[in-house]
Amino acid sequence: MSTKSGQAHLSSLEPARALALIDAGGASAFRAAAFIFGHGEAEPAHVYTSARHDDMAAVLLKEGEYQDTAVGTAERFFRHLHYFQSQLDYWGRLKMAREAGRVDPLVQETFAPLLEGSGRYISAFADDVPEESIEQITGVPRERWLRRNGAILVDQPMAEMKPEEINDLVDRGRQGVLASFFKLAALRLVPDGVPAPVTTPERVDAFLAAHPRLAIVVPGFHLKGIAPVSVFLHAEGSVRRYQLGEPQLAAGNEPELLAMQGMFSAFVDDDHIPGGEGWRKLGEALQQLCAAHEEWARQLNEYLERHGITQVLFMLRGTDHVYLPWEELHTGPGGPRLGERYLIGYVHTLADLGMVAPAWMPQRQGTVQLHGGGKFREQMKVARECQLALAAQGHGLPPLSGEEACDARRLHAELRSCRRVRLFLHAHHDRLNPEQDRITLVDAEEQTARVDLKASELRCLPLAGVECVELWACEGAAHGRSLAEHGPAEEPEDVSAAFLQAGARRVVASRWQVPALTSALMMERFALLVGQGWGEAAALRSAREECRAAFRSGGIIERHLRGSVATLGPGLHASLEKAFMEAVLQLRESWGAQKRENWNSSSLMQAMGRLVRYVPPRSTELSVPTYDSSVQRADAQIAEYLQPFQNPLCWSGWRLIVRRLEDWDTATCIKKA
């Protein structure tokens, strides 16, 4: 059952039962993952590497601080469980793509690199690993292995695989998952003999009754035409359901649908438009999307206000409207946004996934901080300075670089005991092929030199019980898929879902691409608020609105620029950069951030780029026509300089996703002055 059928055909049911059934219609694999991930630590690799043979061979020989750490039976079993689950996902996806590609040219084109090109799966083992274990795990006979410098490499090119080989690998993955699971179940380390986590009407009723100021909103498959938006809340002693709009067939020319299509087209076009033009068009498309849905926001706001609602949890359902930035929608012409009126969060499922932190785990403390490295480390310099300032104020540990985090044993040791995780790095979400989703520890222009962590590796991180993973990166919560041939269309497969599956209680991430500078400022302000006792939902709302206000027309940044450069003539551009740096430092100091001496104009200019790739959202040279007076010229240049930061894409994409309903409560605390 999908959201489409759930919304359209369950209206006659008692509301709590209808919501439970709607929840059962999506995120089934996400719920099932609660049996597999987050219950105990998996044995990590020695280091994270690129996929090059020589690189993988060399790192296996690396004498690292954590290489000789003793690994117990449970850790090896968990490692096998996660490995075989990754194999099952990978080869199962390849099998489905091949079969669907025979009849659908679009699928064939989309997965061409996987089906026809250079796609490959490379496994690396130290030469002291028993050969029969390698053969059992990979299914590749020994004569096809590569032996280099004390390492055994198993290379499996996708295009060369026959259907029977893929079927064998799928079966091998399935059998490996079962065998590993039952070994862990015998040790009572994973749940066994218990039913799958499914939401019940009683759970829905009890939770909403205990949260009378909270509403759960389920967007339809499309906001207009297919199925309405449903709002569930507790009033007059029971769960109530309110629907925005009436179910009807879509004509295809509704403003909401056209605006959504325009947004998707702008994302595609942005990949081919150099400089800041694509960024500008993306912002315009987002504004059109929000304007098209303003009437829905007005109706939703009226209903929530009438019932005294102050908090909203949106279920991530549908293939398109997971992208809709509800926080950005105005409640009327010139009125406040929903994000200003309500504390907003997102959830994949209402089912009780259970607590994943093992009873033996020590109490978690501290915040691990990490910033990306590699080719574009200069782009990360501002974020590093923010993280160093936060560490000096006791809001985090000294930050790790991406290169340092490549030591997998060290990274696992840091994550094993921390309470929070703060990441600032490059990330990518592929709307068609989930295998391309990643965060990047060490970036490079050449893919083969890049060190990425994909979902299969993120799910193995020891995050059980971590309060929150802050993913300050592009597209960490992009979620959506356009094709269902690789799995259910409503199944969360983005990077944020991998962190939740690993056991994190909450994740902060962005729907789309974001500039490095604004993300670093959001990260710092958010961390300072959380350090003062604010919950993540409240801190994210406040950080977003404070940063947006600082950069808007007439805000603190513009006022400082006008006061500093209004009367300057030649050399205005250089003076503008210096004044901009001073304004940003003043903004940070107004929050109580620690001032450091390493901030400079060059660092800020490097941070103008987006975190998905190094493409500045504005040109480095301002193109302002000639004006009669220096004041007019300065005003025009200031306006052009700040225009990229007034783009709603800078602020509206950040969302808070919770693993389960019980993880919402602590996110809503607001520290009173």
Side-chain angles (χ1 to χ4, degrees):
M1 175 172 52
S2 67
T3 300
K4 175 180 176 180
S5 61
Q7 291 278 58
H9 303 303
L10 299 179
S11 58
S12 62
L13 294 179
E14 187 272 329
R17 179 170 176 78
L19 180 54
L21 289 174
I22 290 173
D23 182 54
S28 57
F30 182 84
R31 293 196 302 274
F35 285 115
I36 297 176
F37 301 109
H39 293 281
E41 184 176 358
E43 174 195 6
H46 289 311
V47 296
Y48 297 117
T49 75
S50 70
R52 294 179 300 180
H53 288 173
D54 292 338
D55 189 13
M56 297 181 82
V59 298
L60 286 172
L61 300 177
K62 179 178 180 288
E63 294 295 331
E65 178 180 354
Y66 297 92
Q67 187 164 346
D68 296 326
T69 302
V71 177
T73 301
E75 287 86 349
R76 293 192 184 278
F77 284 167
F78 274 117
R79 179 69 176 174
H80 293 164
L81 177 65
H82 296 174
Y83 176 83
F84 283 119
Q85 179 64 48
S86 174
Q87 292 273 295
L88 182 59
D89 290 343
Y90 193 89
W91 301 119
R93 198 181 309 278
L94 177 63
K95 179 179 179 179
M96 286 188 287
R98 275 199 173 183
E99 292 174 351
R102 295 192 186 102
V103 296
D104 190 335
L106 178 59
V107 177
Q108 183 70 29
E109 179 182 356
T110 300
F111 293 96
L114 190 66
L115 301 175
E116 304 169 2
S118 58
R120 59 204 318 115
Y121 194 98
I122 303 175
S123 304
F125 304 88
D127 61 359
D128 59 350
V129 176
E131 294 189 349
E132 58 272 15
S133 296
I134 299 176
E135 201 165 32
Q136 180 184 11
I137 290 173
T138 65
V140 178
R142 303 177 191 188
E143 57 269 19
R144 289 171 50 187
W145 300 350
L146 301 175
R147 300 177 187 269
R148 298 193 181 185
N149 301 325
I152 298 175
L153 305 170
V154 181
D155 189 355
Q156 296 167 283
M158 305 294 100
E160 300 177 9
M161 286 198 165
K162 300 176 182 178
E164 55 271 21
E165 291 180 296
I166 297 176
N167 291 339
D168 178 67
L169 288 167
V170 171
D171 291 339
R172 192 181 298 275
R174 184 183 298 112
Q175 294 169 10
V177 167
L178 291 173
S180 302
F181 181 87
F182 287 129
K183 289 177 181 177
L184 288 166
L187 297 173
R188 298 187 177 182
L189 295 176
V190 294
D192 187 28
V194 297
V198 176
T199 306
T200 63
E202 293 77 16
R203 172 174 168 79
V204 169
D205 187 279
F207 184 81
L208 288 176
H211 298 78
R213 294 187 176 276
L214 170 72
I216 295 176
V217 177
V218 186
F221 198 75
H222 291 297
L223 283 180
K224 189 170 185 180
I226 302 295
V229 174
S230 288
V231 184
F232 296 86
L233 51 81
H234 206 276
E236 300 177 1
S238 64
V239 178
R240 303 284 177 167
R241 181 183 187 183
Y242 173 73
Q243 292 182 319
L244 278 67
E246 297 294 332
Q248 57 183 316
L249 294 177
N253 60 351
E254 290 81 4
E256 296 91 338
L257 299 183
L258 294 177
M260 184 66 72
Q261 292 168 6
M263 187 71 182
F264 290 151
S265 297
F267 276 121
V268 174
D269 294 342
D270 180 52
D271 291 334
H272 310 289
I273 301 177
E277 184 64 14
W279 182 250
R280 183 186 64 79
K281 289 187 175 181
L282 271 173
E284 292 176 352
L286 175 60
Q287 291 174 327
Q288 293 169 4
L289 178 68
C290 293
H293 292 91
E294 188 172 291
E295 177 60 22
W296 293 91
R298 184 190 65 78
Q299 294 183 41
L300 176 61
N301 176 66
E302 287 182 355
Y303 184 74
L304 298 177
E305 197 173 51
R306 190 184 317 143
H307 288 83
I309 298 299
T310 59
Q311 304 171 16
V312 183
L313 271 176
F314 287 92
M315 286 188 65
L316 290 166
R317 290 291 186 270
T319 57
D320 290 338
H321 285 98
V322 289
Y323 282 97
L324 190 63
W326 290 93
E327 299 90 338
E328 191 70 11
L329 302 187
H330 285 275
T331 57
R337 300 176 180 86
L338 288 175
E340 297 174 79
R341 295 292 303 273
Y342 305 97
L343 291 179
I344 293 178
Y346 296 81
V347 63
H348 293 300
T349 179
L350 308 180
D352 186 1
L353 303 180
M355 292 292 291
V356 294
W360 48 262
M361 179 176 289
Q363 183 177 1
R364 288 182 171 274
Q365 296 179 342
T367 299
V368 167
Q369 300 190 109
L370 189 156
H371 61 83
K375 175 70 174 179
F376 304 126
R377 63 172 56 88
E378 288 300 314
Q379 192 186 16
M380 305 289 170
K381 190 172 181 179
V382 166
R384 171 179 167 78
E385 291 301 317
C386 288
Q387 290 183 346
L388 286 169
L390 289 169
Q393 293 177 281
H395 299 305
L397 300 172
L400 295 172
S401 68
E403 288 84 357
E404 291 172 324
C406 286
D407 186 333
R409 300 297 174 97
R410 177 178 181 180
L411 180 60
H412 275 239
E414 297 275 1
L415 297 177
R416 190 177 298 126
S417 60
C418 70
R419 185 181 178 189
R420 308 180 63 86
V421 180
R422 185 172 299 130
L423 307 174
F424 193 99
L425 31 67
H426 287 194
H428 174 70
H429 172 81
D430 193 304
R431 293 190 65 244
L432 299 176
N433 187 355
E435 298 299 334
Q436 297 303 314
D437 283 14
R438 60 186 179 268
I439 65 171
T440 300
L441 296 180
V442 180
D443 212 338
E445 293 179 350
E446 295 295 330
Q447 181 176 351
T448 54
R450 201 172 57 209
V451 181
D452 297 323
L453 296 186
K454 297 186 178 181
S456 58
E457 292 159 314
L458 297 176
R459 288 193 294 256
C460 292
L461 297 177
L463 300 177
V466 163
E467 288 291 321
C468 183
V469 172
E470 304 169 22
L471 181 57
W472 304 100
C474 286
E475 303 176 317
H479 180 84
R481 303 291 178 201
S482 293
L483 296 178
E485 281 76 7
H486 54 67
E490 295 188 76
E491 191 64 46
E493 292 186 296
D494 58 24
V495 171
S496 65
F499 284 115
L500 294 171
Q501 289 172 338
R505 299 179 63 188
R506 291 173 291 276
V507 174
V508 173
S510 175
R511 301 167 182 79
W512 41 63
Q513 299 172 18
V514 285
L517 175 58
T518 57
S519 302
L521 294 174
M522 281 276 292
M523 173 187 71
E524 184 172 42
R525 185 56 179 143
F526 176 84
L528 290 171
L529 289 169
V530 170
Q532 295 170 13
W534 292 54
E536 288 90 358
L540 185 61
R541 178 177 69 176
S542 186
R544 178 192 293 114
E545 297 309 319
E546 288 182 46
C547 290
R548 188 203 298 267
F551 282 91
R552 69 163 52 110
S553 179
I556 183 176
I557 301 293
E558 184 184 275
R559 293 198 304 270
H560 182 86
L561 295 185
R562 291 187 186 281
S564 300
V565 304
T567 59
L568 294 176
L572 175 60
H573 184 72
S575 299
L576 195 58
E577 289 187 351
K578 180 181 178 182
F580 182 69
M581 180 193 71
E582 293 171 349
V584 171
L585 289 175
Q586 284 187 8
L587 175 64
R588 296 179 61 244
E589 289 174 12
S590 72
W591 298 336
Q594 185 183 77
K595 184 177 180 181
R596 292 179 56 82
E597 301 300 326
N598 293 334
W599 282 71
N600 55 54
S601 299
S602 176
S603 298
L604 291 185
M605 294 308 102
Q606 292 287 349
M608 298 296 187
R610 283 183 253 173
L611 286 173
V612 69
R613 62 187 190 281
Y614 190 66
V615 179
R618 67 168 178 80
S619 62
T620 56
E621 294 296 330
L622 301 176
S623 55
V624 179
T626 303
Y627 288 91
D628 294 335
S629 71
S630 60
V631 174
Q632 287 181 323
R633 179 171 176 267
D635 286 348
Q637 289 207 4
I638 289 171
E640 183 178 357
Y641 197 94
L642 294 181
Q643 186 275 331
F645 306 108
Q646 294 165 358
N647 190 318
L649 286 164
C650 291
W651 319 109
S652 60
W654 299 105
R655 61 172 36 159
L656 174 71
I657 312 105
V658 299
R659 183 175 179 270
R660 58 186 194 138
L661 291 175
E662 289 77 6
D663 296 323
W664 171 248
D665 288 345
T666 55
T668 61
C669 175
I670 300 177
K671 182 77 172 180
K672 300 297 183 181

